[in-house]
Amino acid sequence: MDVNIIETRKLHYEYTDGTNALIDVNIGIRKGKTTAVLGGNGAGKSTLFLNFNGIHKPSSGEVLFKGRSVAYSRSALKELRRSVGIVFQDPDNQLFSASVYQDISFGAINLKLPVEEVQRRVDLAMKRTGIEHLKNKPTHCLSHGQKKRAALAGVLVMEPEVLVLDEPTAGLDPMGVSEIMELLKDVQKELGLTIVFSTHDIDIVPLYCDYAYVMDQGRVIMDGSPKEVFSKPELLRKIHLRLPRIAHLMEILENKDDFEFKDKAITIAEARRELKMWRESMK
Amino acid sequence: MIYIDKYAYISKLKHQDPIYKLVFCMMTLGVCLWANSIIISIIALLIMGWHTVCKGGIPCAIFMKLMIIPMSFLAIGVLTVGINVSDKKDIFLFYISVFDINAGVTQSGIQNAAHLFFKALGAVSCLYYLSLNTPMVDILQALGRLRVPKLFIELMSLIYRFIFVLLETVEMMLTAQKSRMGYSGISSGYRSLAALASTLFIRAYKRSDELYTSLEARGYDGELNALHESYKKGWIQYTSPITVNLILIAMTLIIRHFTGGLM
C-alpha cells in the first residue's frame, strides 16, 4: 500500500498583497515515488513547495508530514526542513558562497554534525552529483548546469527523505536534462528518496514520474498517473500545457489517419510497441 | 579585478595556509613602509615577484601588467611631492619662474619622490602577492580564524559572491538595452542608464529575498556556517617570513647607518 509522506488538506495560501496563490489544495505525495507537479507559469507550484517545508505557513488548512500536522515551532521546522529538502529553480539564488565546497557543506553544518561526518557527506554528495572535479572552483566560474548540480548536492548533504525540486530541468540542454533526471533516479534508488518536482518539460513526465498533479491558478485541477493525466488533452491545452510529443503524434495518427491503437502510448517505447502491434494486425 | 580573481584560483600557492600568506604579506608590507628605503623596497618587490611568478606560477607578464596599474596614480603623487614652490632660487636644481614665484625640483624633493615611488611599488607588490595567490574565500576564512567579527566576514563573502551575479545581470541588461538602441544618443543613454540602475536595485532586492528563502530551507539560523579546508598548522612555517623580514630590517639599519637615509 502506498503511504503518503506529505499531504495537504484544504490548503489555502494567500500572499500579503491579497493574491490567492493556493486554493483548496488536497494532495498526497507517495513515499518513495516520483511525483510531478505540472502547471503553467504562476499556477502556484513554487508556493506549494514552500508550504511543504514550512517556509510558508498556510493561511488555512494544513500540511501533514508523515501523517502528522506540521507544527510551526522553531525546532519542529528545523526537523521538517531537514527531512524535506528544496532545490530552487535559480541556482544563483541558492549558492551563497563563492566556494562550491563551502556552499555544499552549509546544510550539513547546520545539522550540527561532527566535522568528519560533514566531510563524508559533502564528499558523497559531490560524488553523487558528479561534481567532484569542481571542488576547488569558485562558484561564479561554474556553468548553469554545474551550478544546478552544486545546488542539488547542497540539499543532498542533509540526507532528506523528500527531495523537492523546482524546475530541475529549466535552462539545461537536452543532454543536461536527461543527465540530471537519470541522476535523480539513481539517487532515489540508492536512498529510497521521495521526489517531487515541478516542470514545464512535459516530455520527461511519462519517463520519470509515477504520479502527476496538474495545477492552474492555485488549484489542483487534475491528478493521476501520467497516463491518466495525458488522456485528457483538451483540459491540458486549456491551461497552456500540452501532451508529450509522442502522445500528440499518436493522437493525430488515431484521429486523422485511421490508425487503431489498443492503448494510449505516451512514451517512445510504448508507441513503438503499439505501432508494431498495429503492423502485425495489418498482416 | 576579475583577472586577479581568476589567477588566485589557479595559483600553485593556493593550497598554502592563507594566514601564512597574510602574515608574510603584512609583515613585509610593514617593513617596507617603515624602512622608507629604495633598496629595501626593490628587494621586497623582487621577493614578492619571485614568489608570485616562480612559486605561484602566475605569468610574469600579468604581474608586470598589474604593477603598471598603480603607476598612473603614483606619477601624479610623485610629481606633487617632487615639485616645490619657493621665492628663493638657489635651492632648486632646475626651476621655472612665473612672476616672482619659482617652481622647481630640489634635491630633497627628488629624494622624497623617489622614496615614495619605490615604497608604494614595494607595498603594492606585497598586496599583489596576497591577492594573486589567495582566493577571496581563503582570505575570508583566514580573517575568521584571526577572530574578525563574523558579521563582517559574512557580509564580505556575500558581497564577493554576488558581485559576479550583479555584473552578469548588468552585462545582460546592458546588451539588451544596446540591442534596442538604448544608448544611441545622450538623452536616451541617460534614460537607459537610469532604468538599468533602478531595475538592478529591484532585482538585487528580490534576489536577496529569494536567497534568504533558500538559506532558510537549508536550516539557516543566523550564521553562514560552512566547512573550511584544513591546512598544515604549526609555527614552523612562519620561520621563513620572519627570517626574511628580520634580514630586511637589519639591512635597513645598515643602509641607514652608511647612507644616512639617502637610499
Side-chain angles (χ1 to χ4, degrees):
Chain A
M1 216 201 88
D2 287 335
V3 185
N4 286 341
I5 190 159
I6 296 180
E7 249 183 275
T8 66
R9 288 188 191 153
K10 293 204 161 84
L11 174 62
H12 279 262
Y13 187 80
E14 192 182 317
Y15 275 106
T16 38
D17 63 359
T19 329
N20 282 310
L22 296 174
I23 303 156
D24 195 24
V25 174
N26 299 292
I27 63 172
I29 305 297
R30 284 170 184 71
K31 194 173 190 303
K33 301 279 187 205
T34 303
T35 307
V37 179
L38 304 173
N41 294 321
K45 296 167 296 190
S46 304
T47 314
L48 176 66
F49 287 174
L50 293 177
N51 274 285
F52 282 170
N53 77 342
I55 299 273
H56 286 344
K57 193 177 171 185
S59 309
S60 71
E62 56 177 353
V63 179
L64 287 89
F65 180 68
K66 288 185 176 170
R68 291 235 300 270
S69 182
V70 168
Y72 291 86
S73 70
R74 232 180 121 80
S75 58
L77 278 182
K78 209 164 183 176
E79 187 52 34
L80 179 68
R81 286 171 193 169
R82 193 197 70 75
S83 311
V84 183
I86 298 192
V87 182
F88 290 83
Q89 180 180 351
D90 185 353
D92 271 330
N93 286 342
Q94 184 172 336
L95 303 170
F96 72 91
S97 171
S99 150
V100 175
Y101 189 76
Q102 288 186 12
D103 193 277
I104 294 173
S105 70
F106 177 71
I109 294 263
N110 286 336
L111 297 179
K112 308 268 184 294
L113 298 167
V115 177
E116 295 77 32
E117 174 64 9
V118 174
Q119 273 167 349
R120 189 190 67 80
R121 285 190 182 195
V122 173
D123 290 338
L124 194 64
M126 292 181 95
K127 205 171 137 206
R128 281 191 176 128
T129 47
I131 52 168
E132 289 147 300
H133 60 292
L134 302 174
K135 186 178 169 182
N136 291 318
K137 282 258 176 76
T139 313
H140 48 266
C141 286
L142 268 53
S143 72
H144 188 69
Q146 290 170 332
K147 278 184 191 166
K148 280 221 145 167
R149 280 162 184 259
L152 175 60
V155 173
L156 282 180
V157 284
M158 298 196 293
E159 303 198 341
E161 293 170 65
V162 184
L163 190 60
V164 180
L165 304 109
D166 199 354
E167 307 270 354
T169 60
L172 297 178
D173 54 23
M175 192 65 143
V177 170
S178 53
E179 269 175 15
I180 206 143
M181 292 316 293
E182 287 299 326
L183 190 157
L184 286 174
K185 219 159 116 182
D186 290 344
V187 177
Q188 179 175 42
K189 212 183 286 167
E190 206 176 327
L191 303 174
L193 276 176
T194 306
I195 294 181
V196 187
F197 70 89
S198 66
T199 189
H200 291 135
D201 193 346
I202 303 288
D203 290 308
I204 62 169
V205 174
L207 289 173
Y208 298 102
C209 300
D210 304 300
Y211 206 79
Y213 285 92
V214 182
M215 292 185 71
D216 183 44
Q217 296 181 2
R219 294 173 200 272
V220 172
I221 56 162
M222 218 198 303
D223 67 301
S225 67
K227 218 161 209 151
E228 286 163 8
V229 168
F230 293 126
S231 64
K232 293 169 191 151
E234 305 77 32
L235 201 51
L236 284 173
R237 283 177 188 133
K238 216 160 71 188
I239 58 160
H240 303 151
L241 293 176
R242 61 168 174 84
L243 289 181
R245 295 286 182 212
I246 290 294
H248 193 192
L249 172 69
M250 297 302 273
E251 187 195 17
I252 292 172
L253 288 178
E254 204 167 16
N255 293 345
K256 298 200 173 156
D257 299 326
D258 300 325
F259 280 72
E260 274 172 31
F261 300 122
K262 287 202 177 66
D263 203 8
K264 286 219 183 306
I266 51 175
T267 64
I268 291 181
E270 285 171 10
R272 192 173 163 215
R273 204 179 53 226
E274 288 298 322
L275 284 167
K276 271 182 170 169
M277 268 159 61
W278 173 79
R279 191 180 62 186
E280 289 302 315
S281 69
M282 284 287 109
K283 273 178 186 165
Chain B
M1 186 208 98
I2 290 167
Y3 289 111
I4 296 183
D5 185 68
K6 207 175 75 190
Y7 283 110
Y9 284 96
I10 57 171
S11 163
K12 283 185 229 150
L13 295 177
K14 178 184 181 290
H15 295 287
Q16 215 171 28
D17 188 346
I19 290 192
Y20 165 84
K21 285 181 274 191
L22 199 63
V23 166
F24 187 26
C25 159
M26 287 305 167
M27 237 195 243
T28 318
L29 180 72
V31 169
C32 205
L33 292 179
W34 164 79
N36 197 15
S37 146
I38 296 173
I39 297 172
I40 297 297
S41 296
I42 292 174
I43 294 173
L45 176 67
L46 290 176
I47 292 175
M48 290 307 173
W50 177 73
H51 268 95
T52 311
V53 175
C54 300
K55 287 179 97 177
I58 307 295
C60 191
I62 294 295
F63 186 71
M64 302 285 249
K65 218 161 120 188
L66 285 172
M67 286 308 296
I68 291 172
I69 295 175
M71 287 287 185
S72 51
F73 300 103
L74 261 181
I76 299 168
V78 162
L79 276 182
T80 51
V81 172
I83 295 170
N84 293 306
V85 177
S86 170
D87 48 5
K88 278 185 244 137
K89 289 180 181 175
D90 44 352
I91 56 164
F92 292 119
L93 295 174
F94 49 88
Y95 64 92
I96 31 173
S97 18
V98 180
F99 303 113
D100 277 345
I101 302 159
N102 308 305
V105 180
T106 62
Q107 165 98 41
S108 70
I110 289 185
Q111 207 178 320
N112 275 340
H115 275 147
L116 180 73
F117 182 77
F118 283 101
K119 195 160 76 173
L121 276 193
V124 166
S125 75
C126 293
L127 291 177
Y128 275 148
Y129 158 75
L130 183 69
S131 47
L132 276 170
N133 294 305
T134 327
M136 196 62 196
V137 188
D138 295 356
I139 295 182
L140 293 175
Q141 187 195 332
L143 291 178
R145 276 160 62 196
L146 294 170
R147 309 246 180 279
V148 172
K150 252 193 152 138
L151 181 67
F152 287 113
I153 295 173
E154 285 180 5
L155 266 178
M156 282 161 79
S157 77
L158 285 177
I159 289 170
Y160 173 67
R161 164 76 181 96
F162 286 98
I163 275 178
F164 296 97
V165 179
L166 200 71
L167 282 178
E168 219 171 87
T169 319
V170 169
E171 212 170 295
M172 268 173 359
M173 280 163 47
L174 208 59
T175 316
Q177 286 183 327
K178 275 183 194 160
S179 58
R180 288 182 293 164
M181 307 290 284
Y183 294 91
S184 53
I186 290 180
S187 68
S188 71
Y190 277 119
R191 209 163 342 124
S192 300
L193 195 65
L196 181 101
S198 57
T199 317
L200 200 63
F201 180 76
I202 296 166
R203 286 256 182 106
Y205 179 75
K206 259 189 95 174
R207 200 178 267 283
S208 73
D209 220 31
E210 280 162 17
L211 179 75
Y212 183 75
T213 309
S214 75
L215 285 179
E216 241 192 334
R218 290 203 282 163
Y220 178 62
D221 53 4
E223 275 185 9
L224 291 174
N225 296 312
L227 196 61
H228 295 300
E229 231 174 298
S230 50
Y231 297 95
K232 205 170 59 190
K233 284 203 183 101
W235 290 102
I236 295 179
Q237 58 172 339
Y238 294 106
T239 45
S240 67
I242 289 173
T243 321
V244 167
N245 279 292
L246 284 178
I247 293 171
L248 284 180
I249 291 171
M251 280 174 73
T252 314
L253 294 176
I254 293 166
I255 292 167
R256 274 195 193 163
H257 182 75
F258 284 105
T259 65
L262 203 62
M263 292 301 280

